[in-house]
Each structure stands twice: as C-alpha cells, then as structure tokens.
Amino acid sequence: MSAGSTAAQHVSLEWDERGGVTVHMDGSPQSHVQPDDPTLLVFEYVQHLALAIDTMPPGPLGVTHVGGAGLTLPRWVEATRPGSPQIVLEPDEALTELVRRDVPLPRRHRIRVRPVDGLTGVRALRDGSADVVVTDAYAGGRVPAELVGTAYAHEVARVLKPTGIALWNLADEPGMRWVARVVATVATSLPHVAVIATHEVLKGRRFGNSVLVASASPLPAEALRRDVARANLPTGLREGAALTRLVAGAKPFDDRGMQSPPPPEAGKWRAR
C-alpha cells in the first residue's frame, strides 16, 4: 500500500492495490471506499448499518448522516437507492475537501455535505424530515459525548418520520456497559431498539463496534433476523429479552452524554 495525499495532519488517504482507499483520522482507519463499486463494504460496522437500512421499504430514502469521513454509506445508499436525498453533517471541512477532491462522488448524486457538528445540524432539520438518521462520528477514536446524550436522542426522534429508523455506530470494551447506557438513553426517545454486532463483540471477546437500531415504531424484527443470519460475517442480533438482559441496570445519560471508551492499542483488540 502507498500513502495518499494529506489535507491536514489528522486526515490521510491510503490507497490499496485494488483501487480502494481507506480514510485515516487521528491515526485510526475511519472508513473504506471502493470508488468503482460503492456497494462493496469492507468494514464490518458499515455492513451492519447497510443491513439495517436494507430492511426499509424499497425506493429512495431521505437519509441524514452525522459524520462524513469517506462518505462510504452515502455512496452505498445512492448506488442501491438512486435518487435518495441525503444530508451529511461533517464539521471537518479539510476532510470533506480531501475526500471530494481525491475520491469524487458519483454524477447526479443528491448528497449534500454541511460543515456543522451533529447536534447543531440535527437541531436545524425539520420535524419528520428523515427516513433514516445515521450517527457515525468519532473524534480521537471515540464517539463524542453529545451524540449519545438525551438531548441528541430527542432531536433525532423529532427529525425521524414515524416509521423511520435511527442508527448509531458505537464502540465499546468487552461487557458493553457503555453501549448499554447508550441503549437506555436512546430508548427514552425511541423505545423500540436492537443491537447488531459480530458474535465476538456480543460475547465480550474483544473491543469492537456495534450498531444500535432504534425507532418510535416496532422494528422489522423478522427482516433484521433474516438479514443478520445471511450476513457475510458471523453476526448476531440482540433484541427483546436478550437486549433487556444486556442493558439491565444501565442508567441513561443526561443531556451531556459521555464519550465512548478509548480504543486499545493496535493489535490488542481481543480480550481473550
């Protein structure tokens, strides 16, 4: 692999021999883009986000993304649901400039990037304007506190259509106690919740990502179970009683939230 161009010290692009590019932020891989095939999703958590979106009815979707990075998921939505109006809230203008210059978006897309932070940007959106709200934002390798607080969860619920879904990409240590508190927090505004992750993460074997799915309406549980069972990676779903056990005793965050635990050193993500 060869290093790509750099717009700022904390952002870089790394191209591989297949023509794909990984966006690194603060020294950590943030997202991967395959420009000639936006349906190819490399990172496991992005596959899980896509899996959840696939349970929505066919056709274009209004999607708001909190966090931009390589714009991997917006590209996937555009490829699989052409004409979908999408808003990306990404305050790092250097990152957006670098990605859009070196990894251009497809022609005739409806992806609009706004240079604002997630909480500010979501607050400015209309009630019931989104089919999907995806929160996938990290700073220094950690989810910012304000994106898992009760105030943010309330704003996401306001912006969603009645049958819409909200998704969070979360990262936690074995035991998932921080994730449990996020689930408890989100459930105060969006009571129907589920968690998708690899079996290793759900069983507490390593630090890793999980995707929280939440809605004001009952989730398409059967479709989620089916798609999880078909996932390329060994993937599990926690819902109902299993999720209740996971979050037992978890206290919701206040408006300020709490940032996610710091990631371990590279190569030390396994617990045992």
Side-chain angles (χ1 to χ4, degrees):
M1 296 185 182
S2 59
S5 55
T6 303
Q9 187 176 6
H10 71 294
V11 182
S12 65
L13 304 182
E14 189 174 26
W15 294 85
D16 60 40
E17 63 278 1
R18 297 170 298 178
V21 59
T22 300
V23 179
H24 292 262
M25 296 184 66
D26 302 308
S28 300
Q30 192 76 4
S31 61
H32 179 276
V33 179
Q34 193 71 33
D36 60 351
D37 183 7
T39 66
L40 177 62
L41 304 176
V42 173
F43 285 15
E44 61 190 34
Y45 77 84
V46 182
Q47 294 179 32
H48 296 158
L49 291 168
L51 180 157
I53 294 174
D54 262 343
T55 65
M56 298 291 286
L61 295 171
V63 185
T64 294
H65 305 262
V66 177
L71 303 174
T72 303
L73 197 63
R75 297 171 197 264
W76 175 84
V77 171
E78 172 59 28
T80 58
R81 296 171 181 262
S84 293
Q86 301 186 74
I87 297 170
V88 180
L89 307 175
E90 175 52 68
D92 192 332
E93 294 185 74
L95 167 63
T96 300
E97 180 184 358
L98 172 64
V99 169
R100 297 191 70 162
R101 185 190 69 216
D102 289 9
V103 197
L105 289 166
R107 294 181 179 180
R108 294 183 293 277
H109 67 83
R110 298 185 64 190
I111 302 167
R112 300 293 176 263
V113 183
R114 298 179 181 176
V116 295
D117 66 85
L119 183 55
T120 301
V122 170
R123 279 175 170 162
L125 298 175
R126 300 190 314 274
D127 292 4
S129 60
D131 295 295
V132 183
V133 176
V134 180
T135 302
D136 180 14
Y138 283 72
R142 305 173 73 174
V143 180
E146 66 270 17
L147 298 184
V148 294
T150 52
Y152 180 75
H154 175 75
E155 291 296 332
V156 169
R158 178 187 61 78
V159 167
L160 277 180
K161 295 178 181 179
T163 57
I165 61 171
L167 306 172
W168 275 260
N169 170 31
L170 307 172
D172 200 2
E173 300 168 333
M176 300 177 68
R177 297 320 299 162
W178 180 81
V179 165
R181 293 195 67 183
V182 178
V183 173
T185 303
V186 170
T188 62
S189 296
L190 297 166
H192 300 278
V193 291
V195 171
I196 303 169
T198 63
H199 290 310
E200 280 196 326
V201 171
L202 289 174
K203 292 177 180 179
R205 292 177 180 169
R206 68 174 176 91
F207 184 102
N209 294 76
S210 57
V211 168
L212 168 59
V213 187
S215 179
S217 301
L219 294 171
E222 184 175 342
L224 282 171
R225 293 188 204 108
R226 180 191 64 234
D227 289 354
V228 162
R230 295 175 178 174
N232 293 329
L233 299 164
T235 299
L237 175 70
R238 293 291 182 270
E239 55 162 335
L243 186 58
T244 298
R245 288 192 295 272
L246 176 68
V247 303
K251 181 181 178 181
F253 295 127
D254 59 17
D255 283 355
R256 295 170 296 177
M258 185 175 75
Q259 66 180 339
S260 61
E265 296 178 24
K268 297 183 180 180
W269 283 47
R270 295 186 67 86
R272 61 177 181 270

